[in-house]
Amino acid sequence: MTGTDSDDNATDRRLRLLVGLVVVAALVVALGVIAHAYVWPTPAPDVAMLFVTLAAVLVANHMRVYVRIKSSQDGTTWGEVPVLIALVLLPGPWVVLCAAVGMTLRMIATRKSPQKAIFAVAKEVLTASTAVAVFWALDVRPSLTDPPAALIPVIVAMTAMAIVDHAAYLPVMATASHSTVRRLATQDLDMKLAAYLVRLLATLLVVAVLAFGGSLLLLLIFPLVVFCMHLWQSRRIRTREERESWQRLAEATDELNAVDLTHVLHSAASRAALLFSAVETEIDLVTDSAERTVRGTSQRVTFDGSRAGATELPPAEITAELVTHDGRLHMGVLRLRFGGPVKLTEFEQYKLRTFTSALCTAIRNATAYAELQRLNEQNAYDAAHDPLTGLANRRELYERAGEHFQSHTDEGVVALLLIDLNHFKEVNDTLGHAAGDAVLREVARRLADAAAPGDLVARLGGDEFAVLLVDLPTPALATHRAKSMLSTLERSVAVEGMQITVEAAGGIALAAGSGGVNELMRRADIAMYQAKRAGQQTATYAHSQDTADVSRLALGSELHRAVAEREFVVDFQPIVDLGSGEVVSAEALARWHHPEHGSLTPMEFLQTIERSGRLQDFADAVLDQALAASDQWREAGFDLPVAVNVSPRSLLDPRFPETVLSRLGRHEVPADRLIFELAETLTLSQLDVVGRALTELSEAGVRLALDDFGTGVTPLSVLSHIPVHQLKIDREFIGAVQTSSEASAVIRSTVDLARSLHLSVIADGVESEPQRHALWSLGCVAGQGHLFARPMSAARLLATMQRGTAGRPGALAPSLHDGGAVVRMSRRRSGGSGRSALPHLPA
Ligand code: C2E
Ligand code: CA
């Protein structure tokens, strides 16, 4: 049973008790009147007069100025007026009888509930008897001949009636409306007093008319006067009621203007109950984001939860749909429950519409605000966490470590443990990324479990983790804690039915006096590499070991600046037609112009970039410069494709094709002028994702070269997964082309494979003319290498091409002219080896 149910039962019991008391009092009084009449018999009354009185009681009680309290209606009536006038003309007991019968008829006519009817009749008997008692006490006899004598008793009787009337109905009304007697008594007191005076004056006027010989006919005008006064009074009360109602509505809508949905719903439930004098309000909220039911009385919220958890209530008397004013959004329903049947006036309906519309707006605002709040929190969380493992990310680690440096508390030593997994790449390469991710998640979980409260475990990227150890009582404890954390990784990890052992190296650095987080990170990194080199589980930073790794370490933290300051530049190495010596394309090779370390080659920084999470920025910078160069050459008359190296990691980014195509568009370079060189180190699990990206690019016209061909372990089936256009034979074979028959066999078979698949072949690292000749005779048509040119800036390459060789712009080497062609033809015709023809070629 809900709180409301038990409240309702208690109210009902009290109501029955109060009504019972009034009925008992009325019976006692009625018996008194009958006994009095029996002892002092009265003359029989005029029958016509009886009927007039009866009718007057009926009409006067019907002229009621309504004030709605809950479902019952309270109001002041003209009921005592006919009773008092009749008392001047008729014997008391007959008047009481008329009043009782009149009221009973009225109750039957208006189909009131038995309880209400009994109460009303009892109250009528009580008040009428009170008036009779006053008349008897003041010894006033009914007489048409001497009404003036009744003037004072009329005043006294009317006052007594008002008092008895209020004494009987105020407690009942207060109970029914959950209000207090005091509040009801003082509510509209001025109006009530005014109404009382008006009724008193009207009564006295009638009595005076009778006294001064006015005919009974004159009294016929009286109902008209009374009716006009009644109308005037009703209107005044209604106007005031409406004004107050507007005020309450304005207050309610003001209160709804909140950003917290719970506050909105709770105040709406209570306010609606108050505004519409409902016993209970129910709001059923049904939106995309929430389904919720809130119930309340004017006093408090009685239920807040899901519809399923709410007890069924009797159907509501009034139901209003919660629809935004434009009618587009339906948010649920508002139900108002009353003690009995209720019909809303037009004004109340309008009020209800206004209220629901305000409620809808408030719900919408609060929902929007909550969504905004949620997004903010989500963004804040995402910005501070690694999506794969849920650990803090690099940024969060820096921030938290920074806070520790700033707080300067004496709470203990702060240390940083940097962890790098050994040979993690192999897990990725052999088992695929999903397995690699599973290992990383498990490592993250174990580290987080092993961390002490207050420590911060973070994933910095790739297979690199860090733990900020705080509140260490002594520096020595850092090593102990680090060892115990790393030992949790010794247990093998189960991935796809296999047991994988994870090895890790940890570098420990204690917070330094100066240099802040960056310095701490740098030191932990040095220690970590030291542990790796020494094959130990952990190493602690020692100043003496610093410097060895300075250049490599500095790189990690400087990438941000390098991207911002455009320190990444691209050199271009021409790719040449081995026969004619003419440039056919150029490969873009990245360089880092480091302010301290000078020009760094990709070998020195690529790994750091790939691990740092800044790969995208770097790749974008390279692609931009490569496309700009291609555009520049084309304008100068050299329409060359540009080859750009791409990391498999870039291709795993689903936005990659889109980024590339938009950059092509921006530089106005046709797609077939771009070649991507992909190192042959893709794992089969990557092929799927990479294949999709490359197919999309290939369909747009971009070409693909397989770099370092011949060295990798990738099976040839790669060629069926991704759209390849070129094979670049690795330097390793080119260097050995003259000395190793194995190398030349690889080159020949690659050339044959390429021919049957309609691919072109490029030899990488051509360093000498004999190599060039050998390659050309093996059927390889293009090559790049120091023989022709070293990588250089786009502008220098352009100048070099413009200068040309032997008066041939665009050529970087003398042509192998006809001799070459003869060799190749003869090789094909005679099947003889190309090398045998070499001596005929110009040196
Ligand atoms: P790669 O794709 O095999 O590039 C050719 C490398 O061989 C270049 O080294 C080039 O300078 C060098 N080389 C050219 N001709 C000769 C020669 O005759 N003899 C010898 N011994 N070497 C020669 P670099 O520029 O140091 O590039 C190294 C590798 O870095 C490249 O190998 C490529 O895989 C990678 N790389 C370069 N630029 C980028 C880039 O923008 N993005 C990515 N992801 N990787 C790049
Ligand atoms: Ca390359």
Side-chain angles (χ1 to χ4, degrees), residues 573 587 590-591 602 606 622 645 647 707 731 764 767 785-786:
Q573 188 176 34
E587 177 178 4
R591 304 285 176 259
L606 257 181
V622 172
N645 291 285
S647 289
D707 215 352
R731 268 200 303 285
D764 199 353
E767 292 183 341
H786 293 169

Side-chain angles (χ1 to χ4, degrees), residues 129-384:
S129 304
T130 305
V132 171
V134 169
F135 268 61
W136 280 345
L138 296 178
D139 204 19
V140 185
R141 307 239 154 236
S143 146
L144 257 178
T145 51
D146 189 20
L151 285 183
I152 298 297
V154 163
I155 298 173
V156 178
M158 188 141 168
T159 312
M161 283 173 93
I163 291 169
V164 170
D165 184 73
H166 278 77
Y169 98 89
L170 280 181
V172 173
M173 201 47 88
T175 306
S177 63
H178 296 280
S179 184
T180 59
V181 170
R182 194 193 156 86
R183 222 178 86 192
L184 287 182
T186 49
Q187 184 181 326
D188 292 326
L189 190 61
D190 52 346
M191 279 291 194
K192 286 181 197 161
L193 280 175
Y196 165 80
L197 283 176
V198 166
R199 290 197 304 274
L200 185 63
L201 273 175
T203 315
L204 292 177
L205 190 78
V206 175
V207 174
V209 166
L210 294 174
F212 295 106
S215 73
L216 273 175
L217 271 180
L218 202 61
L219 282 183
L220 288 181
I221 317 166
F222 175 69
L224 216 66
V225 177
V226 166
F227 187 66
C228 290
M229 285 163 92
H230 166 72
L231 280 186
W232 169 78
Q233 197 191 2
S234 302
R235 157 149 300 177
R236 274 203 58 187
I237 288 193
R238 200 169 312 129
T239 314
R240 172 193 285 211
E241 245 202 332
E242 286 182 5
R243 197 179 53 233
E244 285 174 359
S245 195
W246 277 124
Q247 269 165 8
R248 280 200 298 273
L249 183 64
E251 281 166 22
T253 51
D254 264 359
E255 200 179 306
L256 292 183
N257 224 332
V259 290
D260 175 36
L261 185 62
T262 301
H263 176 95
V264 169
L265 295 175
H266 287 194
S267 29
S270 300
R271 283 295 187 160
L274 203 66
L275 272 178
F276 300 98
S277 303
V279 179
E280 189 176 41
T281 319
E282 180 176 79
I283 299 167
D284 240 345
L285 185 66
V286 188
T287 62
D288 293 342
S289 55
E291 257 187 49
R292 186 168 167 184
T293 298
V294 173
R295 287 176 188 161
T297 63
S298 59
Q299 313 284 317
R300 63 195 178 87
V301 172
T302 51
F303 179 85
D304 184 354
S306 82
R307 171 93 253 185
T311 47
E312 272 307 311
L313 289 184
E317 281 81 29
I318 303 287
T319 302
E321 301 289 324
L322 294 177
V323 186
T324 45
H325 66 273
D326 54 7
R328 276 207 217 131
L329 210 61
H330 187 271
M331 296 174 168
V333 281
L334 169 76
R335 299 193 184 89
L336 299 173
R337 268 189 201 94
F338 299 90
V342 156
K343 196 162 176 302
L344 293 189
T345 62
E346 204 176 314
F347 168 71
E348 281 170 323
Q349 281 172 14
Y350 183 70
K351 203 166 75 169
L352 185 58
R353 274 202 301 278
T354 311
F355 181 79
T356 51
S357 170
L359 178 56
C360 280
T361 310
I363 292 174
R364 200 163 50 170
N365 289 350
T367 319
Y369 183 83
E371 180 59 15
L372 215 63
Q373 198 85 333
R374 193 190 63 73
L375 279 179
N376 278 345
E377 279 164 20
Q378 179 73 44
N379 287 346
Y381 182 88
D382 289 348

Side-chain angles (χ1 to χ4, degrees), residues 524-537:
D525 207 29
I526 291 174
M528 195 262 290
Y529 273 90
Q530 191 198 325
K532 260 200 172 169
R533 260 199 311 271
Q536 294 165 337
Q537 196 180 40

Side-chain angles (χ1 to χ4, degrees), residues 587-589 643-645 677-678 707-708 728 764 784:
E587 177 178 4
L589 293 160
V644 177
N645 291 285
E677 292 194 5
L678 180 64
D707 215 352
D708 308 334
K728 284 188 87 171
D764 199 353
Q784 76 186 94

